[in-house]
Amino acid sequence: MIRTDNLCRRFHVGDSWVHALDSVDLAIDEGDFVAVMGPSGSGKSTLMNILGCLDTPDDGRYRLLEQEVELLDDAELSRIRNVHIGFVFQSFHLLPRLTAVENVMLPLRYSNTDLLQARQHAEHLLTRLGLDDRLHHKPNQLSGGQRQRVAIARSLVNQPPLLLADEPTGNLDSKTSDEIMELFTELNRGGQTILMVTHEDEIATYARRLIRMRDGKIEDDSLN
Amino acid sequence: MIRTDNLCRRFHVGDSWVHALDSVDLAIDEGDFVAVMGPSGSGKSTLMNILGCLDTPDDGRYRLLEQEVELLDDAELSRIRNVHIGFVFQSFHLLPRLTAVENVMLPLRYSNTDLLQARQHAEHLLTRLGLDDRLHHKPNQLSGGQRQRVAIARSLVNQPPLLLADEPTGNLDSKTSDEIMELFTELNRGGQTILMVTHEDEIATYARRLIRMRDGKIEDDSLN
Ligand SMILES: Nc1ncnc2c1ncn2[C@@H]1O[C@H](COP(=O)(O)OP(=O)(O)OP(=O)(O)O)[C@@H](O)[C@H]1O
Ligand SMILES: Nc1ncnc2c1ncn2[C@@H]1O[C@H](COP(=O)(O)OP(=O)(O)OP(=O)(O)O)[C@@H](O)[C@H]1O
Ligand SMILES: [Mg+2]
Ligand SMILES: [Mg+2]
């Protein structure tokens, strides 16, 4: 499903370069459930952004679902981002003027879903995540952990084959975190490929494979 | 240092009320190191915002440093917020156009600090938090955990008698989290009063007292 070869990403700040990703080789197959861990600043979010087609590498290649991503045009990338990939951002990125339900329904604009069915599916996901009495709250009317759960629901609403979750439980108490991980486990058993960044060992244990990053490189990649 | 009596805060959404805080009685003395835990949505951030003079209660009273907060005017509140209280927000709230150092120096505008000394103090704190090579990065040039550390440095730069930290390690790996908690322990030994919200048990253990919230109420308040 995912193949990367010598993936590099650097940023120029002032008169120096930050090597956020430094030759990353990665192979992820359909149905994998992978945790990515590593120190703050080691390149995890940068990797996720490239895998999610939100950023492009400076060197190296990325094949996603049999396609060379650098050869895709904007329309194809947009479609992949909205239909084939579910993304939970480390900082949520909810639209402030939309309610929880409206935020969750956003990715469904790109697929030909009946609007009533879309709404029901969004409400069902939010209810599953404990937010049935928060459906019509806007993000500034929600707690940090509630916003995080809206971001998770939005990533799942299109039932995408690939779920990329960047610190999905960072703002959640352990009981709610376990519920989210039970949901992810269920989705993975149903065939969804999941790649999640976490800094919590108890969350990483739900994954079958563990990748450790350091200074923009993968330093370890083995069964969990 | 802090005394609250029947503190209440409610929000009106649609045609219903959310009782975010439901009669909270709290007493915190100088030098206390308190952890606040509870499920997502239980009122922790709402409590912190009121204690930090960023929000006002709908009922009840709040005495801070011997003063009835509701009797203070805007200028006095502003001074308290910037000089007497250090606040780490759950969503950081860094100014996007300022560098890490400039963000950390912000609270020092309110105190009569020599600008060169202010800059050195800000750089020293950022270095202590492992960000010496990120001083001139703007927030969008920083990782999630790096932004979190800038927010922590900003909260400490005025050496405020009261530190309010809302999920200060939510985006940090365990090694960096422990370093932050060692710093907090050191500051507390030096006399700083610390109240921190966390959902992680390993972080809560650094505090001497543990308050548990549920549904806007304090359900437990005892030694840790
Ligand atoms: N402006 C608002 N309007 C309406 N409801 C609000 C508003 N702010 C907070 N709430 C609600 O008040 C409750 C308490 O919110 P608060 O942010 O204090 O929770 P919390 O304990 O910090 O949760 P978390 O652990 O998820 O950060 C939540 O159920 C939230 O939906
Ligand atoms: N736009 C940018 N410009 C300059 N440097 C950047 C930029 N984005 C990221 N970086 C740097 O690249 C490195 C990797 O960032 P990244 O966000 O991938 O780290 P991370 O592993 O997700 O960290 P965290 O665990 O703190 O979220 C960091 O050191 C960061 O400062
Ligand atoms: Mg990150
Ligand atoms: Mg909160």
Side-chain angles (χ1 to χ4, degrees), chain B residues 1 29-33 84-86 155-164 183-195 208:
Chain B
M1 168 167 273
D29 299 323
E30 272 183 53
D32 276 1
F33 191 167
H84 297 290
I85 301 174
S155 76
L156 299 175
V157 77
N158 252 337
Q159 294 164 333
L162 175 63
L163 175 64
L164 300 173
L183 173 59
F184 278 21
T185 301
E186 195 176 303
L187 293 168
N188 177 245
R189 279 201 199 112
Q192 197 165 32
T193 307
I194 302 180
L195 189 61
R208 282 192 301 281

Side-chain angles (χ1 to χ4, degrees), chain A residues 9-13 18-21 38-47 49 90 166-167 197 199 213, chain B residues 134 137 140-147 149 171-173:
Chain A
R9 183 71 173 103
R10 27 183 190 278
F11 298 105
H12 193 214
V13 185
V18 175
H19 294 276
L21 288 184
S40 173
S42 53
K44 306 179 297 295
S45 296
T46 304
L47 175 62
N49 289 340
Q90 191 169 5
D166 196 345
E167 306 272 6
V197 173
H199 67 258
M213 293 187 67
Chain B
R134 293 287 180 274
H137 283 227
N140 68 353
Q141 296 172 318
L142 295 171
S143 77
Q146 290 166 349
R147 286 176 206 160
R149 282 178 277 164
N171 282 285
L172 296 170
D173 51 283

Side-chain angles (χ1 to χ4, degrees), chain A:
Chain A
M1 165 166 275
I2 285 177
R3 292 291 184 277
T4 77
D5 172 28
N6 184 38
L7 215 58
C8 295
R9 183 71 173 103
R10 27 183 190 278
F11 298 105
H12 193 214
V13 185
D15 53 3
S16 63
W17 286 93
V18 175
H19 294 276
L21 288 184
D22 191 359
S23 191
V24 168
D25 298 336
L26 192 59
I28 297 188
D29 299 324
E30 273 184 52
D32 276 0
F33 191 167
V34 188
V36 178
M37 300 186 86
S40 173
S42 53
K44 306 179 297 295
S45 296
T46 304
L47 175 62
M48 296 290 270
N49 289 340
I50 289 173
L51 296 181
C53 301
L54 298 156
D55 187 21
T56 49
D58 296 305
D59 278 319
R61 307 233 303 281
Y62 173 31
R63 281 181 73 77
L64 170 67
L65 298 159
E66 311 296 314
Q67 302 175 76
E68 283 295 332
V69 174
E70 65 187 314
L71 301 179
L72 300 175
D73 63 33
D74 283 352
E76 288 165 309
L77 282 171
S78 188
R79 178 168 173 75
I80 282 183
R81 275 197 298 265
N82 282 285
V83 177
H84 297 290
I85 301 174
F87 206 110
V88 187
F89 293 89
Q90 191 169 5
S91 53
F92 316 157
H93 292 321
L94 300 179
L95 296 196
R97 294 190 198 161
L98 301 187
T99 65
V101 173
E102 292 164 347
N103 263 290
V104 173
M105 286 170 70
L106 275 179
L108 290 167
R109 289 170 313 181
Y110 290 82
S111 51
N112 294 327
T113 314
D114 166 61
L115 211 60
L116 180 62
Q117 215 180 12
R119 183 167 205 95
Q120 285 175 343
H121 188 42
E123 294 189 358
H124 167 78
L125 272 168
L126 285 166
T127 300
R128 172 90 196 246
L129 291 167
L131 296 175
D132 46 300
D133 56 357
R134 294 287 181 274
L135 300 179
H136 310 297
H137 282 228
K138 297 202 171 80
N140 68 352
Q141 296 170 320
L142 295 171
S143 77
Q146 290 166 348
R147 287 177 205 159
Q148 188 151 35
R149 283 177 275 165
V150 175
I152 292 170
R154 181 181 63 186
S155 75
L156 298 175
V157 76
N158 252 336
Q159 294 165 332
L162 176 63
L163 175 65
L164 301 174
D166 196 345
E167 306 272 6
T169 64
N171 281 285
L172 296 170
D173 51 284
S174 47
K175 175 164 172 295
T176 314
S177 298
D178 287 337
E179 289 166 10
I180 305 276
M181 286 304 118
E182 297 295 333
L183 173 59
F184 279 21
T185 299
E186 196 177 301
L187 294 167
N188 179 244
R189 280 200 198 111
Q192 197 165 31
T193 307
I194 301 180
L195 190 62
M196 75 179 175
V197 173
T198 182
H199 67 258
E200 296 183 67
D201 296 316
E202 306 82 5
I203 300 300
T205 52
Y206 285 85
R208 283 193 299 280
R209 180 172 150 205
L210 179 56
I211 289 175
R212 289 195 182 276
M213 293 187 67
R214 180 176 296 278
D215 299 327
K217 293 177 180 299
I218 291 181
E219 72 171 4
D220 199 65
D221 182 353
S222 52
L223 289 180
N224 204 3

Side-chain angles (χ1 to χ4, degrees), chain B residues 92-185:
Chain B
F92 318 156
H93 292 320
L94 301 178
L95 296 196
R97 293 188 198 162
L98 301 186
T99 65
V101 173
E102 290 163 348
N103 263 290
V104 173
M105 287 170 70
L106 274 179
L108 292 168
R109 287 170 314 181
Y110 289 81
S111 50
N112 294 326
T113 313
D114 165 62
L115 211 60
L116 180 61
Q117 215 179 12
R119 182 167 207 97
Q120 285 175 343
H121 187 43
E123 295 190 357
H124 167 79
L125 271 169
L126 286 166
T127 299
R128 172 87 196 248
L129 291 167
L131 298 174
D132 46 301
D133 56 359
R134 293 287 180 274
L135 301 178
H136 310 297
H137 283 227
K138 298 203 171 78
N140 68 353
Q141 296 172 318
L142 295 171
S143 77
Q146 290 166 349
R147 286 176 206 160
Q148 186 149 38
R149 282 178 277 164
V150 175
I152 292 169
R154 181 181 61 185
S155 76
L156 299 175
V157 77
N158 252 337
Q159 294 164 333
L162 175 63
L163 175 64
L164 300 173
D166 196 346
E167 306 273 5
T169 64
N171 282 285
L172 296 170
D173 51 283
S174 45
K175 177 163 171 294
T176 313
S177 298
D178 288 336
E179 288 166 11
I180 304 275
M181 286 303 118
E182 297 294 333
L183 173 59
F184 278 21
T185 301

Side-chain angles (χ1 to χ4, degrees), chain A residues 131 133-134 137-149 171-173, chain B residues 9-13 17-21 36-49 55 90 166-167 197-199 213 215-216:
Chain A
L131 296 175
D133 56 357
R134 294 287 181 274
H137 282 228
K138 297 202 171 80
N140 68 352
Q141 296 170 320
L142 295 171
S143 77
Q146 290 166 348
R147 287 177 205 159
Q148 188 151 35
R149 283 177 275 165
N171 281 285
L172 296 170
D173 51 284
Chain B
R9 183 71 173 103
R10 28 185 185 276
F11 298 105
H12 193 213
V13 185
W17 286 92
V18 175
H19 294 276
L21 288 184
V36 178
M37 302 186 86
S40 175
S42 53
K44 308 179 295 296
S45 296
T46 304
L47 174 62
M48 297 289 270
N49 289 340
D55 188 20
Q90 190 168 7
D166 196 346
E167 306 273 5
V197 173
T198 183
H199 66 259
M213 292 188 68
D215 298 328

